[in-house]
Amino acid sequence: MNQRDQQILRIALPSIVSNITVPLLGMIDVAIVGHMGDAAFIGAVAVGSMIFNLVYWLFGFLRMSTSGMTAQAYGGRRLDDVIRILVRSTVVALAVALTLMVLQEPLRLLMFWLMGPTDDVVAFAVTYFRIVIWGAPAMMGLYCLSGWFIGMQNTRIPMFISIMQNIVNILASLMLVYGFGMKIEGVALGTVIAQYAGLLAAVVLLARHYGRLFRHFPVIRDSWNLRHHGHFFQTNRDLFLRTVCLVGVNLFFTSASARQGAVVLSVNTVMLQLFLFFSYFMDGFAYAGEALGGRFFGAGNATAFHDTLRRLFRWALFVTAAFTLLYIIGSMQIVCLLTDEPQVRDTAREFIWWVWLVPAAGAAAFIWDGVFVGITASRGMLVATFVATLSFGAVYLLTKDTLGNHGLWLAQVVYLAMRGLLQTVWINKNKKI
């Protein structure tokens, strides 16, 4: 295997494992409360997990900007900047976390209004929210540290932390619920304990593997020199606005599905799990694009940068072909594993072929997202995502009355394809290396 392919896989494979373990944190909580004898507990955890997934997703730009900037500084062997980026990102992350905790009541009221939980769920969901919100500093800190590790070409540490968090979450939640007789409080507290355990592990591993870099301590004191600010905040602003577009499309997709009735909502939810499974794999290669693309861009090594691009798209083609074949052959079998509702299964057969198109439509967008993060081309990402979001809305509005749910899935496929197409056009017009 070519050395560049080995570099890609060394970063991509641990990232794929990390991606697959992340949803387990919420699933573990649901599994535990599912045996408490009250369906309202399950609803409370489902609502609470959805709220925090949404809020933390909005601030995912902290990980991306840290990853891209660190990879460039690492490639350019600018160790001073490597430290500056980590310090600057961590301070911003802690400020965001503090803001979330201070404004937790307005945030809770807003999110509950958006989610609309039933009365029997609200009381338990409030308890869950008011405990888990105190994990915000850990989650924001982990975003920065994970992005920094990826920028330093090390995805093994984030993988270890993800696995460890799930183990701690299981053990802590089980002990608190069954050992100390807690209910929803035990599950929520177990989640927070796991989050801080992950942060502690990240800090310990940072000190162990990269402690030598902190001999550049004087750099920490001038991390907020004004000449370093502009690019940092512009990149984070663009990435935040891009994330707002992504969240908006996903929320609208769910809302439009719900307006078509419970059966269509269930079908689309199940089908989206197949899209998410594909995304876990493609995100691994996107992380490789962040790390290696940013590294070679920062080093000014055009040959290595373009070689990495070619090989990333070859891997994307392979993964896309494999998932397309898997879904053509076995997508309905996967749906049947996820639900035993006859009406949902029967309805899914009418729409399942849209899932077959998703890998081909979305592959380029995933790879370009990683590369754009690596070279901090945040404006290109924002413009492409914004136009693709407008395309999503236009296609849906034009087809919803005639095509129904087919129109919604057509809008989703067009949205994914447009992101990849527009980023391809942008990078060819704005050659930076």
Side-chain angles (χ1 to χ4, degrees), residues 249-250 253 272 275 392 407-417:
V249 168
N250 280 273
F253 188 95
L272 279 176
F275 169 58
F392 174 92
L408 182 59
W409 276 99
L410 174 62
Q412 179 77 357
V413 168
V414 168
Y415 161 75
L416 291 171

Side-chain angles (χ1 to χ4, degrees), residues 8-297:
I8 290 172
L9 292 179
R10 196 157 46 236
I11 294 170
L13 294 180
S15 299
I16 291 169
V17 174
S18 298
N19 290 340
I20 292 173
T21 62
V22 167
L24 291 178
L25 280 169
M27 291 171 61
I28 290 164
D29 289 350
V30 172
I32 292 173
V33 298
H35 294 85
M36 288 184 179
D38 191 334
F41 288 144
I42 300 177
V45 170
V47 169
S49 297
M50 190 179 301
I51 288 173
F52 286 106
N53 287 341
L54 179 59
V55 171
Y56 292 148
W57 188 15
L58 279 172
F59 292 101
F61 66 86
L62 290 168
R63 185 206 65 75
M64 290 187 287
S65 64
T66 304
S67 171
M69 292 179 182
T70 302
Q72 290 181 37
Y74 176 82
R77 310 193 73 79
R78 302 190 305 274
L79 296 183
D80 287 1
D81 283 343
V82 164
I83 297 300
R84 284 192 186 98
I85 292 161
L86 178 59
V87 173
R88 199 179 302 131
S89 299
T90 302
V91 170
V92 172
L94 293 179
V96 168
L98 179 62
T99 302
L100 290 175
M101 290 189 296
V102 169
L103 299 178
Q104 61 179 276
E105 282 305 301
L107 175 64
R108 179 186 64 79
L109 292 173
L110 172 63
M111 298 308 294
F112 275 41
W113 176 75
L114 289 173
M115 299 294 177
T118 55
D119 292 340
D120 58 333
V121 167
V122 167
F124 299 123
V126 168
T127 299
Y128 183 89
F129 178 91
R130 286 177 174 168
I131 293 173
V132 176
I133 189 66
W134 294 99
M139 291 301 296
M140 294 296 106
L142 278 171
Y143 272 161
C144 293
L145 286 166
S146 296
W148 192 84
F149 288 134
I150 292 170
M152 296 296 288
Q153 319 294 293
N154 187 338
T155 54
R156 295 183 302 279
I157 290 178
M159 178 187 70
F160 169 80
I161 292 169
S162 292
I163 295 172
M164 188 216 67
Q165 274 188 282
N166 281 286
I167 294 173
V168 171
N169 192 23
I170 293 171
L171 295 177
S173 296
L174 288 175
M175 181 181 68
L176 292 169
V177 171
Y178 295 106
F180 291 88
M182 294 183 178
K183 295 293 186 180
I184 197 79
E185 300 90 343
V187 173
L189 190 56
T191 297
V192 174
I193 290 172
Q195 290 167 346
Y196 279 101
L199 179 63
L200 177 61
V203 171
V204 169
L205 291 169
L206 173 70
R208 178 179 176 183
H209 292 277
Y210 301 100
R212 67 189 184 279
L213 294 178
F214 288 87
R215 69 175 182 269
H216 295 266
F217 181 78
V219 173
I220 297 176
R221 290 179 300 189
D222 77 330
S223 293
W224 292 94
N225 189 307
L226 289 178
R227 68 188 178 89
H228 299 301
H229 281 198
H231 182 53
F232 177 80
F233 284 110
Q234 177 196 321
T235 299
N236 280 287
R237 180 199 63 203
D238 291 344
L239 291 175
F240 174 75
L241 293 174
R242 169 189 173 270
T243 304
V244 170
C245 291
L246 295 178
V247 170
V249 168
N250 280 273
L251 287 177
F252 187 87
F253 188 95
T254 301
S255 174
S257 299
R259 287 197 294 271
Q260 298 179 74
V263 173
V264 170
L265 174 61
S266 299
V267 167
N268 286 353
T269 301
V270 170
M271 288 170 58
L272 279 176
Q273 302 311 303
L274 300 179
F275 169 58
L276 289 175
F277 188 52
F278 168 71
S279 74
Y280 295 151
F281 279 79
M282 288 306 302
D283 267 340
F285 291 96
Y287 287 172
E290 291 181 27
L292 294 172
R295 172 185 169 185
F296 296 132
F297 179 80

Side-chain angles (χ1 to χ4, degrees), residues 281-358:
F281 279 79
M282 288 306 302
D283 267 340
F285 291 96
Y287 287 172
E290 291 181 27
L292 294 172
R295 172 185 169 185
F296 296 132
F297 179 80
N301 190 338
T303 301
F305 178 80
H306 291 291
D307 183 49
T308 300
L309 276 185
R310 285 191 296 271
R311 294 185 183 279
L312 280 170
F313 275 97
R314 287 178 191 172
W315 281 108
L317 181 61
F318 171 77
V319 173
T320 298
F323 270 89
T324 301
L325 183 62
L326 170 65
Y327 288 161
I328 289 174
I329 294 173
S331 53
M332 274 311 303
Q333 287 85 339
I334 297 173
V335 168
C336 291
L337 285 175
L338 294 174
T339 178
D340 57 4
E341 280 292 326
Q343 193 173 4
V344 174
R345 289 181 174 184
D346 291 341
T347 305
R349 297 180 193 281
E350 179 183 351
F351 302 104
I352 196 65
W353 60 273
W354 285 107
V355 173
W356 305 350
L357 303 179
V358 164

